[in-house]
Amino acid sequence: MKGVGKFGEVMAGEKGPVSYDQVALRLEKIIRSGSQRRAILDFVCRDLRKVPHYTWVGIYLVEGSDLVLAAWSGPSATQHTRIPIGTGICGAAAEAKETIVVPDVRSDPRYLQCFLNTRSEIVVPIMKDGAAIGEIDIDSDREDAFTTTDQAFVESVAEELTSIF
Ligand code: SME
């Protein structure tokens, strides 16, 4: 279904229609609210999960040569709270400083399993002054869940997040 905003797509959610533009607007407000960084990261994870096919959302921050889980929202916790840069899809995206979309995690040898039900994953680096300082990691229980709209949407959230660091 087409809407009117920047992303122009509306999805059927459990509690009625959800549009990327609505979620993006709310996120922009909270990111620019001047609240504490920790609170903002928690909110961003929770609100991103309003997109129906975003099953688990986490934000990792770079600490030395590792990615450390700073905030997450989803049905269960991950044991991968510290991932060396270069390891897993998360580590690969931080190393490449580029978004990685994996349509089927079962056929990507880099994949570090967190949840049995995950079928696809998107990892978007948060960049500052040319360096990856963190990333948004989203798992979906649906195979091939992440479209070019998802990529543009999550990249815009990551860009917005740069301002709180
Ligand atoms: N699957 C990720 C690890 C993090 S969990 O998805 C939360 C990876 O391959 O790096």
Side-chain angles (χ1 to χ4, degrees), residues 12-150:
E14 266 175 39
K15 294 175 189 154
V18 180
S19 84
Y20 288 97
D21 291 293
Q22 268 168 7
V23 180
L25 211 66
R26 276 172 57 87
L27 288 174
E28 201 180 281
K29 275 194 194 141
I30 184 78
I31 293 169
R32 295 179 185 184
S33 67
S35 303
Q36 285 190 336
R37 184 187 292 164
R38 175 75 216 201
I40 292 176
L41 296 180
D42 281 340
F43 184 94
V44 168
C45 290
R46 250 184 295 137
D47 231 53
L48 277 173
R49 280 190 68 235
K50 298 223 161 84
V51 178
H53 53 286
Y54 295 4
T55 309
W56 188 93
V57 178
I59 295 177
Y60 288 87
L61 297 180
V62 172
E63 267 184 41
S65 56
D66 291 337
L67 290 156
V68 178
L69 190 63
W72 64 276
S73 173
S76 52
T78 174
Q79 63 189 105
H80 296 295
T81 54
R82 185 176 279 270
I83 301 172
I85 293 176
T87 300
I89 313 284
C90 286
E95 199 172 50
K97 301 179 189 174
E98 269 175 16
T99 297
I100 299 184
V101 177
V102 179
D104 182 355
V105 294
R106 291 166 296 186
S107 54
D108 193 316
R110 297 171 299 182
Y111 176 66
L112 286 177
Q113 189 184 66
C114 287
F115 316 108
L116 276 177
N117 293 338
T118 299
R119 289 292 170 268
S120 54
E121 181 165 6
I122 183 171
V123 183
V124 176
I126 301 167
M127 301 294 296
K128 181 131 191 156
D129 302 329
I133 55 161
E135 59 190 30
I136 303 174
D137 173 24
I138 306 178
D139 285 32
S140 180
D141 288 355
R142 259 176 39 197
E143 203 173 304
D144 203 8
F146 301 105
T147 63
T148 51
T149 301
D150 288 296

